[in-house]
Amino acid sequence: MVPRLDLLHTFFVVARAGSMKAAAAELGVTPGEVSQRVRELEGRSGRRLFDRGRAGTTVSLAGAQLYAAVGDAFRSLESASAALAAGGRGAGLRLTAIPSF
């Protein structure tokens, strides 16, 4: 079964940002919500995706494998979203028709 997209996206942002707090700020949610989503994804997969310690949160071996698998897809989505936002003004289709049309 494929995990929910929001759980995978949260995982991706935490792995990229390097901390739950930074990911929470980027996602616009609380660090507790980020932690809850990560725990849910870990529970569904049956694997620990992050090693949590006094030094912070680091990606585990299983997490690194998942990040490699989903990273390109999320980077592609982010790139497409940025291009859409940047090109949305002034870029369009120009039609010409005779007045009687």
Side-chain angles (χ1 to χ4, degrees):
M1 185 166 110
V2 176
R4 292 187 350 232
L5 190 57
D6 64 319
L7 300 180
L8 288 172
H9 186 241
T10 299
F11 161 78
F12 170 74
V13 174
V14 172
R16 185 189 63 210
S19 79
M20 301 240 182
K21 187 175 181 179
E26 184 176 331
L27 294 169
V29 298
T30 66
E33 176 66 21
V34 169
S35 181
Q36 184 178 9
R37 290 179 188 178
V38 168
R39 277 194 309 271
E40 184 175 344
L41 183 59
E42 288 176 328
R44 288 174 180 251
S45 69
R47 304 197 57 195
R48 191 180 75 250
L49 302 173
F50 294 99
D51 294 319
R52 298 160 182 89
R54 292 169 57 179
T57 302
T58 58
V59 180
S60 69
L61 180 58
Q65 292 170 340
L66 180 60
Y67 185 78
V70 302
D72 288 340
F74 280 112
R75 280 187 290 278
S76 180
L77 287 169
E78 288 174 346
S79 177
S81 296
L84 180 63
R89 295 184 175 85
L93 178 64
R94 182 178 194 150
L95 297 175
T96 305
I98 59 172
S100 64
F101 183 71

